[in-house]
Amino acid sequence: MAKHQTVADEEEAPIHGDVLEAILTHVPLIDLVPACHVSTSWKGAVFSSLRHLNPVKPWLIVHAQSTRYPYTTTSHAYDPRSHVWVDIEQPSINYVSTLRSSHSNLLYMQSPFRFVFSSDPLQLTWHQAVAPLVWRPDPIVALVGERVVIAGGACDFGDDPLAVETYDLKTRAWDTCDDMPAILKDSCASTWLSMAVDRSKMYVMEKCSGATHSFDPITKTWQGPYDLRPDQNVFSSIIGFVNDRMFVVGLVGEAENVKSVKMWEVKGEMLDMKIEISEMPKELVVKLKGQSPRVTSIGMNSMGNFVFLHNPSDPAEVIVCEVQNGGSFCSWGSVGNAAVDDGSRIVKNLVYTCANVGLGELHQALRSGDRRFTIKEEME
């Protein structure tokens, strides 16, 4: 009898300590939320596992807005820590106009009468503002500190195509600024420009030439141009920040024949030092191109030490790059785009953002009562 009792006790022995923390490294982040409520020891194990063994990593969130009435929007998130796609069940975003994104973490919609935007990780809060003074169908939009910058993209008929305005989140008022540099008159729209922000400035780069200007929303002035084209063989490039360091990703070759995709870090007060960091593996270049006969440019979202790349003309695949050891090593991979492979035949507008989503953000979203997170697909 004593022997049987010992076996039963062993089978029911609690999991704790290092063993529990090791097991939790294999548990998707969204499932760690309920694990925190099992007991105090489990909550401690969850936080210890995230801190020391398998930390939280930035999510790539793909928002798919239907192009037909009522223009419903669904959201799918890729969590590189857990290697899973997560369906985000939430109320559809109230339609104002075509949904757009800017510099990785800003979503916005604009009409001649309204401008709405959200920058929090899971879009729990949307800011409502009156439209800026100048109507712009394809502007550059950025959130720099406490100010939204909206520049260029206006029609030539009656409006200044280079006009710049800023919206102060504290005063909730628009203000006019110096125009964009005149050299950008023929390319002052988001179609032709790549944009990134740091803590104090917005950087705007012409994709085809690499000519770059910076804008300070405090002084309302522009600086530049800076030549960020890293190589004469690069025909299209985009910019972003990786761990607060400016990176340029360039397409080498020509639109009909992309030979390679490379990544450079930009340094120096005049942004004149371009240091090659990594080159995308050839097999991933093939995946990035997909079925597109021409690749004129690509999209990039970056946060922390992660870079996500996609081809807007064939978005079936997302390329993932993790920059490690201060840029001395890059880990490349790819994942199928769950927003494309959702079984729907409805044409959708795909919009990409990045977000630092941790247990706190998930707790807050779940407490709202109108959001659910479901694992869609586990990636090998």
Side-chain angles (χ1 to χ4, degrees):
M1 182 68 180
K3 181 178 180 181
H4 290 297
Q5 182 66 44
T6 301
V7 172
D9 291 343
E10 290 178 354
E11 290 176 348
E12 297 176 5
I15 304 172
H16 54 78
D18 295 343
V19 175
L20 178 56
E21 292 180 18
I23 292 173
L24 293 174
T25 64
H26 302 283
V27 177
L29 186 65
I30 61 171
D31 292 329
L32 292 180
V33 176
C36 288
H37 299 288
V38 173
S39 67
T40 302
S41 62
W42 272 60
K43 182 177 181 180
V46 168
F47 280 92
S48 180
S49 177
L50 290 175
R51 187 179 304 111
H52 301 294
L53 299 179
N54 190 6
V56 171
K57 297 177 180 178
W59 284 16
L60 174 72
I61 305 179
V62 186
H63 312 267
Q65 183 188 52
S66 172
T67 57
R68 302 176 185 175
Y69 181 83
Y71 310 104
T72 56
T73 301
T74 58
S75 298
H76 314 267
Y78 178 66
D79 175 9
R81 172 198 173 273
S82 310
H83 302 287
V84 295
W85 280 98
V86 177
D87 280 345
I88 304 176
E89 300 177 36
Q90 61 186 348
S92 182
I93 300 171
N94 292 329
Y95 179 80
V96 173
S97 64
T98 301
L99 186 67
R100 299 189 181 192
S101 65
S102 179
H103 64 81
S104 295
N105 65 342
L106 179 68
L107 278 180
Y108 68 94
M109 291 180 286
Q110 59 160 357
S111 75
F113 310 102
R114 296 171 61 196
F115 182 79
V116 299
F117 61 95
S118 177
S119 61
D120 61 70
L122 295 172
Q123 282 73 52
L124 299 179
T125 303
W126 285 83
H127 298 267
Q128 307 277 341
V130 297
L133 298 175
V134 176
W135 164 244
R136 317 150 190 270
D138 189 22
I140 291 292
V141 179
L143 177 61
V144 185
E146 295 293 324
R147 289 176 171 83
V148 174
V149 181
I150 182 166
C155 300
D156 283 319
F157 306 105
D159 289 323
D160 179 3
L162 297 170
V164 179
E165 297 174 68
T166 60
Y167 179 80
D168 191 313
L169 272 63
K170 295 180 179 179
T171 63
R172 296 180 175 271
W174 289 98
D175 195 5
T176 57
C177 307
D178 288 353
D179 280 3
M180 298 179 73
I183 194 173
L184 295 175
K185 183 176 181 179
D186 295 329
S187 59
C188 59
S190 64
T191 303
W192 314 111
L193 298 174
S194 176
M195 187 269 299
V197 301
D198 60 15
R199 291 182 175 86
S200 60
K201 293 181 180 180
M202 174 182 75
Y203 298 85
V204 177
M205 180 178 71
E206 199 172 47
K207 294 178 182 179
C208 62
S209 69
T212 302
H213 296 77
S214 66
F215 176 75
D216 187 330
I218 302 297
T219 62
K220 305 178 184 179
T221 56
W222 290 86
Q223 292 182 332
Y226 311 102
D227 181 13
L228 262 61
R229 188 176 185 180
D231 189 305
Q232 292 303 309
N233 294 318
V234 172
F235 69 89
S236 179
S237 50
I238 48 180
I239 55 174
F241 281 90
V242 180
N243 278 339
D244 298 324
R245 298 152 60 194
M246 182 181 287
F247 275 47
V248 174
V249 177
L251 303 181
V252 179
E254 53 191 26
E256 295 78 9
N257 181 24
V258 179
K259 295 181 179 179
S260 65
V261 180
K262 295 184 179 182
M263 186 183 299
W264 290 263
E265 181 181 358
V266 181
K267 293 184 176 183
E269 290 186 6
M270 300 303 295
L271 307 179
D272 54 349
M273 296 174 58
K274 275 81 73 175
I275 303 170
E276 185 174 334
I277 297 296
S278 185
E279 180 176 354
M280 184 185 295
K282 298 295 184 183
E283 63 272 18
L284 295 184
V285 176
V286 174
K287 287 188 175 183
L288 179 65
K289 291 191 293 186
Q291 302 298 316
S292 302
R294 302 178 76 252
V295 182
T296 56
S297 66
I298 59 175
M300 176 171 71
N301 298 81
S302 60
M303 186 162 288
N305 61 336
F306 272 82
V307 177
F308 302 94
L309 303 170
H310 69 276
N311 177 3
S313 59
D314 187 351
E317 203 78 16
V318 175
I319 308 302
V320 183
C321 177
E322 183 177 8
V323 181
Q324 301 172 332
N325 299 328
S328 61
F329 176 74
C330 291
S331 175
W332 293 89
S334 68
V335 60
N337 191 339
V340 174
D341 187 25
D342 65 355
S344 173
R345 295 185 178 182
I346 298 176
V347 178
K348 295 183 177 181
N349 166 44
L350 298 185
V351 181
Y352 299 76
T353 57
C354 264
N356 283 318
V357 177
L359 293 180
E361 288 74 20
L362 291 174
H363 274 296
Q364 185 179 4
L366 292 171
R367 280 198 303 267
S368 69
D370 56 7
R371 280 166 172 79
R372 294 179 58 192
F373 300 88
T374 307
I375 293 177
K376 180 181 180 70
E377 178 184 355
E378 294 197 19
M379 311 305 299
E380 298 181 358

